[in-house]
Amino acid sequence: LIIGKDNRIFYHQLDQAGLNDQTLMETSFDREGITKVIEQAKRNAKDVTKFTVIIKPTDDAVYKNFVDILDEMAITKSEQYGVTDIKPWEKAIYDKKVGGSTPAPAQ
């Protein structure tokens, strides 16, 4: 899961070769969105006991969206999850999908 700017959330289950702006999927922060995505991925897992969600907040993400995803882990009973940085190749696709990211000016 990639938590992006403007309350946007993206997901994929691909490696670097398979990920592009068409295969990086977007959903919403609600029952019909991210909850369904997680539940579907869990159902399709070869071994549900090893099902793990990787959460990758971008620099553009807001803390509330991160907390919402942690709530989703409880709602979907996904006890195995990790939080890590978005990989450079994922960030390039994310930036392409959202139209690039500009750092906020220092204050």
Side-chain angles (χ1 to χ4, degrees):
L1 302 177
I2 297 173
I3 307 171
K5 67 180 180 180
D6 300 327
N7 300 313
R8 294 172 77 182
I9 181 132
F10 301 88
Y11 64 96
H12 72 87
Q13 290 182 290
L14 302 166
D15 60 13
Q16 186 171 356
L19 188 65
N20 60 50
D21 59 333
Q22 300 299 308
T23 57
L24 179 61
M25 307 306 292
E26 184 171 6
T27 191
S28 56
F29 279 98
D30 60 24
R31 177 103 188 113
E32 293 303 308
I34 195 60
T35 306
K36 246 185 195 173
V37 168
I38 294 167
E39 288 172 342
Q40 182 73 36
K42 196 176 205 179
R43 270 194 307 275
N44 293 339
K46 289 181 184 172
D47 182 349
V48 75
T49 65
K50 293 181 181 175
F51 179 74
T52 304
V53 177
I54 307 299
I55 304 165
K56 299 178 179 188
T58 65
D59 291 341
D60 301 325
V62 295
Y63 185 71
K64 180 193 179 303
N65 291 157
F66 179 70
V67 172
D68 289 346
I69 289 302
L70 294 181
D71 288 344
E72 282 300 322
M73 296 302 100
I75 290 165
T76 60
K77 297 179 176 48
S78 300
E79 283 109 26
Q80 293 186 143
Y81 61 88
V83 180
T84 188
D85 292 332
I86 186 171
K87 296 199 180 317
W89 53 271
E90 288 172 312
K91 175 98 170 64
I93 301 298
Y94 163 78
D95 285 346
K96 187 175 180 185
K97 188 103 173 175
V98 300
S101 88
T102 54
Q107 302 222 0

